[in-house]
Amino acid sequence: MKFVRYDGGLVGITDGRKVVDVSDLCQSSVGEWPPVGINRLIRDYPVLRAELSQRLLAQAGVPLETVRLETPVPWPNKLMAFPVNYHDHAKEMASRGLASVQGYFLKSNASLIGASDRIELPDLPGREIHHECEIALIIGKTCRQVSEADALDCIFGYACLMDMTVRGKEERVFRKSYDTFTPVGPWIVTADEVPDPSNMDMKLWVNDELRQQANTRDLIVGIREMVAVASSASTLYPGDIIATGTPAGVGRVLPGDVVTIEVANVGRMSLPVVQGSLGRNGVFEKPYEFVRAA
């Protein structure tokens, strides 16, 4: 089953052709603040699953192409990310700070956008903004100190995720938390639709150029271990998002580009890149030249 948020905060389910509104099942409404209706739906999914399936079959809904897709979970309790989680990316960045050594970091929830949005580059002369191709793990229930053996039971579903980054040496959280820097979507695919999370292909293109291609079997810290590590430090809640880390091939995006991400059995989305007028600050005043390691 696929879950979407759309048209100002409605919550729906889709089969890839139509969208059926299920906002009433999670007391969600247009303009709801904070926008946590889908968090409730994720929490209650085991009880509501039969009703949701029946509605998707029975109701006409509206054509998917007529709705504006927003980020599926705009108000997670936590947006967590694992850095340097592929050996090839560690090599290209000449980094020893692997995810297995550093653990996770947090990004601002305000950076989340959806499939119908635009990536807005901040006004930072002398800095490159890079794409990073990742997968979002959406937590399905409240849990703490989860074992790797039980980790998949805590995952509600998966989504495509881009981790946009101001390239530099400053604090990772700051460089990755600008508004629009975490596109997630186009929907959440429930975990039962992914045959093997340890064998998921993903790709990213800028315009027509394939920049990144990898499989989750190559992760340094695997999906099960990420949930175990994250839950060892903090209680995880329904709707929390874990970003899996990026493979090699990161690179610059420019105004006018279109960035496309595809994850097997999950989905595909394309977002345009535009230049914004906000974001300049003293921290990023010094230019930084990105040099890919040999």
Side-chain angles (χ1 to χ4, degrees):
M1 196 173 297
K2 300 177 179 68
F3 288 79
V4 295
R5 282 183 73 260
Y6 65 104
D7 292 355
L10 297 174
V11 176
I13 48 179
T14 180
D15 57 7
R17 299 182 298 275
K18 66 180 181 181
V19 175
V20 173
D21 185 5
V22 296
S23 301
D24 61 303
L25 294 180
C26 56
Q27 299 84 51
S28 185
S29 60
V30 172
E32 174 192 33
W33 189 260
V36 293
I38 197 163
N39 302 59
R40 291 190 289 267
L41 190 64
I42 291 170
R43 178 197 63 191
D44 298 337
Y45 176 67
V47 175
L48 297 173
R49 182 172 182 173
E51 169 70 9
L52 291 163
S53 297
Q54 192 278 331
R55 288 196 184 191
L56 188 58
L57 286 172
Q59 296 187 16
V62 297
L64 176 63
E65 63 269 19
T66 66
V67 307
R68 186 181 188 281
L69 292 174
E70 298 160 359
T71 197
V73 185
W75 201 267
N77 180 265
K78 291 175 288 299
L79 172 54
M80 314 163 90
F82 280 79
V84 195
N85 206 12
Y86 288 85
H87 285 293
D88 59 359
H89 180 52
K91 182 178 179 180
E92 78 173 341
M93 302 303 292
S95 175
R96 296 181 181 178
L98 305 181
S100 55
V101 175
Q102 300 242 325
Y104 68 85
F105 63 96
L106 296 173
K107 293 187 68 172
S108 168
N109 290 350
S111 67
L112 289 163
I113 57 171
S116 297
D117 292 316
R118 304 182 301 174
I119 298 167
E120 183 175 306
L121 304 184
D123 180 25
L124 298 177
R127 293 301 179 106
E128 295 184 7
I129 312 302
H130 284 204
H131 59 79
E132 297 189 359
C133 175
E134 309 198 15
I135 299 172
L137 315 180
I138 312 300
I139 298 300
K141 60 184 180 181
T142 302
C143 55
R144 176 77 199 277
Q145 199 71 58
V146 178
S147 69
E148 289 186 38
D150 295 332
L152 295 185
D153 293 335
C154 298
I155 297 176
F156 170 74
Y158 303 88
C160 302
L161 183 149
M162 301 180 200
D163 180 18
M164 308 306 296
T165 303
V166 178
R167 197 55 70 195
K169 296 294 185 180
E170 296 81 8
E171 286 287 349
R172 181 181 276 112
V173 176
F174 188 25
R175 293 188 289 110
K176 292 173 173 283
S177 284
Y178 272 90
D179 284 4
T180 79
F181 267 27
T182 315
V184 175
W187 40 61
I188 302 170
V189 171
T190 51
D192 59 293
E193 292 199 14
V194 176
D196 183 2
S198 64
N199 185 22
M200 299 171 70
D201 289 318
M202 61 181 185
K203 298 178 181 179
L204 183 143
W205 296 261
V206 175
N207 304 319
D208 295 324
E209 178 190 358
L210 180 63
R211 294 268 187 96
Q212 295 184 273
Q213 183 172 4
N215 186 287
T216 53
R217 63 173 171 263
D218 301 319
L219 285 164
I220 296 171
V221 177
I223 287 175
R224 290 176 179 271
E225 188 179 355
M226 277 186 263
V227 175
V229 170
S231 67
S232 73
S234 302
T235 299
L236 304 183
Y237 296 102
D240 279 356
I241 301 172
I242 299 176
T244 57
T246 189
V250 301
R252 189 176 189 180
V253 296
L254 298 168
D257 286 341
V258 175
V259 187
T260 300
I261 184 174
E262 180 178 273
V263 178
N265 298 305
V266 175
R268 178 185 176 104
M269 63 180 184
S270 298
L271 282 82
V273 179
V274 300
Q275 181 61 57
S277 59
L278 305 176
R280 190 175 298 197
N281 60 73
V283 176
F284 294 135
E285 282 184 354
K286 185 177 180 180
Y288 177 85
E289 182 180 0
F290 173 68
V291 179
R292 197 180 302 274

